[in-house]
Coordinates of all heavy atoms in Angstrom, one line a residue:
M15 N 43.6 -45.1 172.1 CA 42.7 -46.0 171.4 C 43.0 -47.4 171.8 O 44.1 -47.8 172.0 CB 42.9 -45.9 169.9 CG 42.3 -44.7 169.4 SD 42.3 -44.9 167.7 CE 41.6 -44.4 166.7
N16 N 41.9 -48.2 171.9 CA 42.0 -49.5 172.4 C 41.7 -50.5 171.3 O 40.5 -50.6 170.9 CB 41.1 -49.7 173.6 CG 41.6 -50.8 174.5 OD1 42.6 -51.4 174.2 ND2 40.8 -51.1 175.5
F17 N 42.7 -51.1 170.7 CA 42.4 -52.1 169.6 C 42.2 -53.5 170.1 O 43.0 -53.9 171.0 CB 43.6 -52.1 168.6 CG 43.7 -50.8 167.8 CD1 44.7 -49.9 168.0 CD2 42.7 -50.5 166.8 CE1 44.8 -48.7 167.3 CE2 42.8 -49.3 166.1 CZ 43.8 -48.4 166.4
P18 N 41.2 -54.2 169.6 CA 41.0 -55.6 170.1 C 42.1 -56.5 169.6 O 42.7 -56.2 168.5 CB 39.7 -56.0 169.6 CG 39.4 -55.1 168.4 CD 40.2 -53.8 168.7
H19 N 42.4 -57.5 170.3 CA 43.5 -58.4 169.8 C 43.0 -59.2 168.6 O 41.9 -59.6 168.5 CB 43.9 -59.4 171.0 CG 44.5 -58.7 172.1 ND1 45.8 -58.2 172.1 CD2 44.0 -58.3 173.4 CE1 46.1 -57.6 173.2 NE2 45.0 -57.7 174.0
K20 N 43.9 -59.4 167.7 CA 43.6 -60.2 166.5 C 43.9 -61.7 166.6 O 43.5 -62.4 165.7 CB 44.4 -59.6 165.3 CG 44.0 -58.2 164.9 CD 44.7 -57.7 163.7 CE 44.3 -56.3 163.4 NZ 45.0 -55.9 162.2
A21 N 44.5 -62.1 167.7 CA 44.8 -63.5 167.9 C 43.5 -64.4 167.9 O 43.5 -65.4 167.2 CB 45.6 -63.7 169.1
P22 N 42.5 -64.1 168.6 CA 41.3 -65.0 168.6 C 40.7 -65.0 167.2 O 40.2 -66.1 166.7 CB 40.3 -64.3 169.5 CG 41.2 -63.5 170.4 CD 42.3 -63.0 169.6
R23 N 40.7 -63.9 166.4 CA 40.1 -63.9 165.1 C 41.0 -64.8 164.2 O 40.4 -65.6 163.4 CB 40.0 -62.5 164.6 CG 39.4 -62.5 163.2 CD 39.3 -61.1 162.6 NE 38.4 -60.3 163.4 CZ 38.2 -59.0 163.3 NH1 38.9 -58.3 162.4 NH2 37.4 -58.4 164.1
L24 N 42.3 -64.7 164.3 CA 43.2 -65.5 163.4 C 43.1 -67.0 163.8 O 43.1 -67.8 162.9 CB 44.6 -65.0 163.5 CG 44.9 -63.6 162.9 CD1 46.3 -63.2 163.1 CD2 44.6 -63.7 161.4
A25 N 42.9 -67.3 165.1 CA 42.8 -68.7 165.5 C 41.5 -69.2 164.9 O 41.4 -70.4 164.5 CB 42.8 -68.8 167.0
G26 N 40.4 -68.5 164.9 CA 39.2 -68.9 164.4 C 39.2 -69.2 162.9 O 38.7 -70.2 162.4
L27 N 39.9 -68.3 162.2 CA 40.1 -68.4 160.7 C 40.9 -69.6 160.4 O 40.6 -70.4 159.5 CB 40.7 -67.2 160.1 CG 39.7 -66.0 160.0 CD1 40.5 -64.8 159.5 CD2 38.5 -66.3 159.1
A28 N 42.0 -69.9 161.2 CA 42.8 -71.0 161.0 C 42.0 -72.3 161.3 O 42.2 -73.3 160.5 CB 44.0 -70.9 161.9
A29 N 41.2 -72.3 162.3 CA 40.4 -73.5 162.6 C 39.4 -73.8 161.5 O 39.2 -75.0 161.1 CB 39.6 -73.3 163.9
I30 N 38.8 -72.8 160.9 CA 37.8 -73.0 159.8 C 38.6 -73.5 158.6 O 38.1 -74.3 157.9 CB 37.1 -71.6 159.5 CG1 36.1 -71.3 160.7 CG2 36.3 -71.7 158.2 CD1 35.5 -70.0 160.6
A31 N 39.7 -72.9 158.3 CA 40.5 -73.3 157.1 C 40.9 -74.8 157.3 O 40.9 -75.6 156.3 CB 41.7 -72.4 157.0
L32 N 41.3 -75.2 158.5 CA 41.7 -76.6 158.7 C 40.5 -77.5 158.6 O 40.6 -78.6 158.0 CB 42.3 -76.7 160.1 CG 42.8 -78.1 160.5 CD1 43.9 -78.6 159.6 CD2 43.2 -78.1 162.0
A33 N 39.4 -77.1 159.1 CA 38.2 -77.9 158.9 C 37.8 -78.1 157.5 O 37.4 -79.2 157.0 CB 37.0 -77.3 159.7
L34 N 37.9 -77.0 156.7 CA 37.6 -77.1 155.3 C 38.6 -78.0 154.5 O 38.2 -78.8 153.6 CB 37.5 -75.7 154.6 CG 36.3 -74.9 155.0 CD1 36.4 -73.5 154.4 CD2 35.0 -75.5 154.5
A35 N 39.8 -77.9 154.9 CA 40.8 -78.7 154.2 C 40.6 -80.2 154.5 O 40.8 -81.1 153.7 CB 42.2 -78.3 154.7
L36 N 40.2 -80.5 155.8 CA 40.0 -81.9 156.1 C 38.7 -82.5 155.6 O 38.5 -83.7 155.5 CB 40.1 -82.1 157.6 CG 41.5 -81.8 158.3 CD1 41.4 -81.9 159.8 CD2 42.5 -82.8 157.7
A37 N 37.8 -81.6 155.3 CA 36.4 -82.0 154.8 C 36.5 -82.4 153.3 O 35.5 -83.0 152.8 CB 35.4 -80.9 155.0
G38 N 37.5 -82.0 152.6 CA 37.6 -82.3 151.2 C 37.9 -83.8 150.9 O 38.1 -84.6 151.9
P39 N 37.8 -84.2 149.7 CA 38.1 -85.6 149.4 C 39.5 -86.0 149.7 O 40.5 -85.2 149.5 CB 37.8 -85.7 147.9 CG 38.0 -84.3 147.4 CD 37.6 -83.4 148.5
S40 N 39.7 -87.2 150.2 CA 41.0 -87.7 150.5 C 41.5 -88.6 149.3 O 40.7 -89.0 148.5 CB 40.9 -88.6 151.7 OG 40.1 -89.7 151.5
P41 N 42.8 -88.8 149.2 CA 43.3 -89.5 148.1 C 42.8 -91.0 148.2 O 42.6 -91.5 149.2 CB 44.8 -89.4 148.2 CG 45.1 -88.9 149.6 CD 43.8 -88.2 150.0
A42 N 42.7 -91.6 147.0 CA 42.2 -93.0 146.9 C 43.4 -93.9 147.3 O 44.5 -93.7 147.1 CB 41.7 -93.3 145.5
L43 N 43.0 -95.1 147.9 CA 44.0 -96.1 148.2 C 43.8 -97.2 147.2 O 42.7 -97.7 147.0 CB 43.8 -96.6 149.6 CG 43.9 -95.5 150.7 CD1 43.6 -96.1 152.1 CD2 45.4 -95.0 150.7
A44 N 44.8 -97.7 146.7 CA 44.8 -98.8 145.7 C 45.2 -100.1 146.3 O 46.0 -100.2 147.2 CB 45.7 -98.5 144.5
K45 N 44.5 -101.2 145.9 CA 44.9 -102.5 146.4 C 45.4 -103.3 145.2 O 45.0 -103.1 144.1 CB 43.6 -103.3 146.9 CG 43.0 -102.8 148.1 CD 41.9 -103.7 148.6 CE 40.9 -103.1 149.5 NZ 39.8 -104.0 149.8
L46 N 46.4 -104.2 145.5 CA 47.0 -105.0 144.5 C 46.0 -106.1 144.1 O 45.3 -106.7 144.9 CB 48.2 -105.7 145.0 CG 49.0 -106.6 144.1 CD1 49.5 -105.8 142.9 CD2 50.2 -107.2 144.8
D47 N 45.8 -106.2 142.8 CA 44.9 -107.2 142.3 C 45.6 -108.6 142.4 O 46.6 -108.8 141.8 CB 44.5 -106.9 140.8 CG 43.5 -107.8 140.2 OD1 42.9 -108.6 141.0 OD2 43.3 -107.8 139.0
P48 N 45.0 -109.6 143.1 CA 45.6 -110.8 143.2 C 45.6 -111.7 141.9 O 46.3 -112.7 141.9 CB 44.8 -111.5 144.3 CG 43.5 -110.9 144.2 CD 43.7 -109.5 143.8
G49 N 45.0 -111.2 140.9 CA 44.9 -112.0 139.7 C 43.9 -113.1 139.8 O 43.0 -113.1 140.6
G50 N 44.1 -114.1 139.0 CA 43.1 -115.2 139.0 C 42.5 -115.3 137.6 O 42.8 -114.6 136.7
A51 N 41.5 -116.2 137.6 CA 40.9 -116.5 136.3 C 39.9 -115.4 136.0 O 39.0 -115.0 136.8 CB 40.1 -117.8 136.4
A52 N 40.1 -114.8 134.9 CA 39.2 -113.7 134.4 C 38.4 -114.2 133.3 O 38.8 -114.9 132.4 CB 40.0 -112.5 133.9
V53 N 37.1 -113.9 133.3 CA 36.2 -114.3 132.2 C 36.2 -113.2 131.2 O 35.9 -112.0 131.4 CB 34.8 -114.4 132.8 CG1 33.8 -114.8 131.7 CG2 34.7 -115.5 133.9
V54 N 36.6 -113.6 130.0 CA 36.7 -112.6 128.9 C 35.7 -113.0 127.8 O 35.7 -114.1 127.3 CB 38.2 -112.7 128.2 CG1 38.2 -111.7 127.1 CG2 39.2 -112.4 129.3
E55 N 34.8 -112.0 127.6 CA 33.8 -112.3 126.6 C 34.2 -111.6 125.3 O 34.7 -110.4 125.3 CB 32.4 -111.7 127.1 CG 31.9 -112.4 128.3 CD 30.6 -111.8 128.7 OE1 29.9 -111.1 127.9 OE2 30.2 -111.9 129.9
T56 N 34.1 -112.3 124.2 CA 34.4 -111.7 122.9 C 33.2 -111.1 122.3 O 32.1 -111.5 122.4 CB 35.0 -112.8 122.0 OG1 34.0 -113.8 121.8 CG2 36.3 -113.5 122.6
A57 N 33.5 -110.0 121.6 CA 32.4 -109.3 120.9 C 32.1 -110.0 119.6 O 33.0 -110.5 118.9 CB 32.8 -107.9 120.6
T58 N 30.9 -110.2 119.3 CA 30.4 -110.9 118.1 C 29.7 -109.9 117.2 O 29.0 -109.0 117.7 CB 29.6 -112.1 118.4 OG1 28.4 -111.6 119.1 CG2 30.3 -113.1 119.2
T59 N 29.8 -110.0 116.0 CA 29.0 -109.3 115.0 C 28.1 -110.2 114.3 O 28.5 -111.3 114.0 CB 29.9 -108.5 114.0 OG1 30.8 -109.4 113.4 CG2 30.8 -107.5 114.8
S60 N 27.0 -109.7 113.9 CA 26.0 -110.5 113.2 C 26.4 -110.5 111.7 O 26.4 -109.4 111.1 CB 24.6 -109.9 113.5 OG 23.7 -110.6 112.6
P61 N 26.6 -111.7 111.1 CA 26.9 -111.7 109.7 C 25.7 -111.3 108.9 O 25.8 -110.9 107.7 CB 27.3 -113.1 109.4 CG 26.8 -113.9 110.6 CD 26.7 -113.0 111.7
A62 N 24.5 -111.4 109.5 CA 23.3 -111.1 108.7 C 23.1 -109.5 108.6 O 22.2 -109.1 108.0 CB 22.0 -111.7 109.4
C63 N 23.9 -108.8 109.3 CA 23.8 -107.4 109.3 C 25.1 -106.7 109.1 O 25.7 -106.1 110.0 CB 23.2 -107.0 110.7 SG 22.7 -105.3 110.8
P64 N 25.6 -106.7 107.9 CA 27.0 -106.1 107.7 C 26.9 -104.6 107.6 O 25.9 -104.0 107.5 CB 27.3 -106.7 106.3 CG 26.0 -106.9 105.6 CD 25.1 -107.3 106.7
L65 N 28.1 -104.0 107.7 CA 28.2 -102.5 107.6 C 28.0 -102.2 106.2 O 28.5 -102.8 105.2 CB 29.6 -102.1 108.1 CG 29.9 -100.6 108.0 CD1 29.0 -99.9 109.0 CD2 31.3 -100.3 108.3
A66 N 27.1 -101.2 106.0 CA 26.8 -100.7 104.6 C 26.7 -99.2 104.6 O 26.9 -98.6 105.7 CB 25.5 -101.3 104.1
R67 N 26.5 -98.6 103.5 CA 26.3 -97.2 103.4 C 25.1 -96.8 102.6 O 24.7 -97.6 101.7 CB 27.5 -96.4 102.9 CG 27.8 -96.7 101.5 CD 29.1 -95.9 101.0 NE 29.5 -96.4 99.7 CZ 29.2 -95.8 98.6 NH1 28.4 -94.7 98.6 NH2 29.6 -96.3 97.4
I68 N 24.4 -95.8 103.0 CA 23.3 -95.2 102.2 C 23.7 -93.8 101.9 O 23.8 -93.0 102.7 CB 22.0 -95.3 103.0 CG1 21.6 -96.7 103.3 CG2 20.9 -94.5 102.2 CD1 20.3 -96.8 104.1
G69 N 24.0 -93.6 100.6 CA 24.5 -92.3 100.2 C 25.9 -92.1 100.8 O 26.8 -92.8 100.5
A70 N 26.0 -91.1 101.7 CA 27.3 -90.9 102.4 C 27.3 -91.3 103.8 O 28.3 -91.0 104.5 CB 27.7 -89.4 102.2
Q71 N 26.2 -91.9 104.3 CA 26.1 -92.3 105.7 C 26.4 -93.8 105.9 O 25.9 -94.6 105.1 CB 24.7 -91.9 106.2 CG 24.5 -90.5 106.3 CD 25.3 -89.7 107.3 OE1 25.5 -90.2 108.4 NE2 25.9 -88.6 106.8
L72 N 27.1 -94.1 107.0 CA 27.3 -95.5 107.4 C 26.1 -96.0 108.1 O 25.5 -95.3 108.9 CB 28.5 -95.6 108.3 CG 29.9 -95.4 107.7 CD1 30.9 -95.3 108.7 CD2 30.2 -96.4 106.6
V73 N 25.7 -97.3 107.8 CA 24.5 -97.9 108.3 C 24.9 -99.3 108.8 O 25.6 -100.0 108.1 CB 23.3 -98.0 107.3 CG1 22.1 -98.6 107.9 CG2 23.0 -96.6 106.8
H74 N 24.4 -99.6 110.0 CA 24.6 -101.0 110.5 C 23.3 -101.4 111.2 O 22.9 -100.8 112.1 CB 25.8 -101.0 111.5 CG 26.1 -102.4 112.0 ND1 25.7 -102.8 113.2 CD2 26.8 -103.4 111.4 CE1 26.1 -104.1 113.4 NE2 26.8 -104.4 112.3
C75 N 22.7 -102.5 110.6 CA 21.4 -103.0 111.2 C 20.3 -101.9 111.2 O 19.7 -101.7 112.3 CB 21.6 -103.6 112.5 SG 22.7 -105.1 112.5
D76 N 20.1 -101.2 110.2 CA 19.1 -100.1 110.1 C 19.4 -99.0 111.2 O 18.5 -98.3 111.6 CB 17.7 -100.6 110.3 CG 17.3 -101.5 109.1 OD1 17.9 -101.3 108.0 OD2 16.5 -102.4 109.3
S77 N 20.6 -98.8 111.6 CA 21.0 -97.8 112.5 C 22.1 -97.0 111.9 O 23.1 -97.5 111.5 CB 21.4 -98.4 113.9 OG 21.9 -97.4 114.7
L78 N 21.9 -95.6 111.9 CA 23.0 -94.8 111.4 C 24.1 -94.8 112.4 O 24.0 -94.7 113.6 CB 22.5 -93.4 111.2 CG 21.5 -93.1 110.1 CD1 21.0 -91.7 110.2 CD2 22.2 -93.3 108.8
T79 N 25.3 -95.0 111.8 CA 26.5 -95.0 112.6 C 27.5 -94.0 112.0 O 27.3 -93.5 110.9 CB 27.2 -96.4 112.7 OG1 27.5 -96.8 111.4 CG2 26.2 -97.4 113.3
G80 N 28.7 -93.8 112.6 CA 29.7 -93.0 112.0 C 29.7 -91.6 112.5 O 30.5 -90.8 112.0
A81 N 28.7 -91.2 113.3 CA 28.6 -89.8 113.9 C 28.6 -88.7 112.8 O 29.2 -87.7 113.0 CB 29.7 -89.6 114.9
G82 N 28.0 -89.0 111.7 CA 27.9 -88.0 110.6 C 29.1 -87.8 109.7 O 29.1 -87.0 108.8
V83 N 30.1 -88.7 109.9 CA 31.3 -88.6 109.1 C 30.9 -89.3 107.7 O 30.2 -90.3 107.7 CB 32.5 -89.4 109.8 CG1 33.7 -89.4 108.9 CG2 32.8 -88.7 111.1
R84 N 31.4 -88.8 106.7 CA 31.2 -89.3 105.3 C 31.7 -90.7 105.2 O 32.8 -91.0 105.7 CB 31.8 -88.5 104.2 CG 31.1 -87.1 104.1 CD 31.6 -86.4 102.9 NE 31.5 -87.1 101.6 CZ 30.4 -87.1 100.9 NH1 29.4 -86.4 101.2 NH2 30.4 -87.7 99.7
A85 N 30.9 -91.6 104.7 CA 31.3 -93.0 104.5 C 32.3 -93.1 103.4 O 32.2 -92.5 102.4 CB 30.1 -93.9 104.2
P86 N 33.4 -94.0 103.5 CA 34.3 -94.2 102.4 C 33.6 -94.9 101.3 O 32.7 -95.7 101.5 CB 35.4 -95.0 103.1 CG 34.9 -95.5 104.3 CD 33.8 -94.7 104.7
A87 N 34.2 -94.8 100.1 CA 33.6 -95.4 98.9 C 33.8 -96.9 98.9 O 33.0 -97.6 98.2 CB 34.3 -94.8 97.6
W88 N 34.7 -97.4 99.6 CA 34.9 -98.9 99.6 C 33.8 -99.6 100.4 O 33.7 -100.8 100.3 CB 36.3 -99.3 100.1 CG 36.6 -98.7 101.5 CD1 37.3 -97.6 101.8 CD2 36.3 -99.4 102.7 NE1 37.4 -97.5 103.1 CE2 36.9 -98.6 103.7 CE3 35.7 -100.5 103.1 CZ2 36.7 -98.9 105.1 CZ3 35.6 -100.9 104.4 CH2 36.1 -100.0 105.4
V89 N 33.0 -98.9 101.2 CA 31.9 -99.6 101.9 C 30.8 -99.8 101.0 O 30.4 -98.9 100.3 CB 31.5 -98.7 103.1 CG1 30.3 -99.4 103.8 CG2 32.6 -98.5 104.1
P90 N 30.3 -101.1 100.8 CA 29.2 -101.3 99.9 C 27.9 -100.5 100.2 O 27.6 -100.3 101.3 CB 29.0 -102.8 100.0 CG 29.5 -103.2 101.3 CD 30.6 -102.2 101.6
E91 N 27.3 -100.1 99.1 CA 26.1 -99.3 99.2 C 24.9 -100.2 99.3 O 24.8 -101.2 98.6 CB 25.9 -98.3 98.1 CG 24.8 -97.3 98.3 CD 24.9 -96.1 97.4 OE1 25.7 -96.1 96.5 OE2 24.1 -95.2 97.6
R92 N 24.0 -99.9 100.2 CA 22.7 -100.7 100.4 C 21.7 -100.2 99.4 O 21.5 -99.1 99.1 CB 22.2 -100.5 101.8 CG 21.1 -101.5 102.1 CD 20.6 -101.3 103.5 NE 21.4 -101.9 104.5 CZ 21.2 -101.9 105.8 NH1 20.1 -101.3 106.2 NH2 22.0 -102.4 106.7

């Protein structure tokens, strides 16, 4: 019986595996931040629109907030 050589097949599989490995994402390179003046904006809240509750729901400026969690009793009711 005459068996074909497996070397060409293995070389082809190795080449495909290498190509797939190199085609993947490479690690990110980080640069040192030189620093400098950074602009920092402060968050402001509107005093005309305080946090309140309606029943057990937190409300801020006619918008339900709190993701459905029950509002604590110390929050004033609207």
Side-chain angles (χ1 to χ4, degrees):
M15 284 190 158
N16 204 3
F17 291 109
H19 293 287
K20 293 185 180 182
R23 181 180 295 173
L24 290 177
L27 288 175
I30 290 173
L32 181 64
L34 288 175
L36 293 176
S40 61
L43 298 176
K45 290 187 203 176
L46 181 62
D47 185 10
V53 178
V54 178
E55 296 181 21
T56 58
T58 59
T59 58
S60 174
C63 189
L65 181 66
R67 67 182 169 93
I68 296 177
Q71 294 294 315
L72 291 172
V73 179
H74 185 260
C75 295
D76 293 333
S77 176
L78 287 175
T79 59
V83 177
R84 292 185 57 85
W88 56 266
V89 177
E91 189 165 8
R92 189 184 284 181

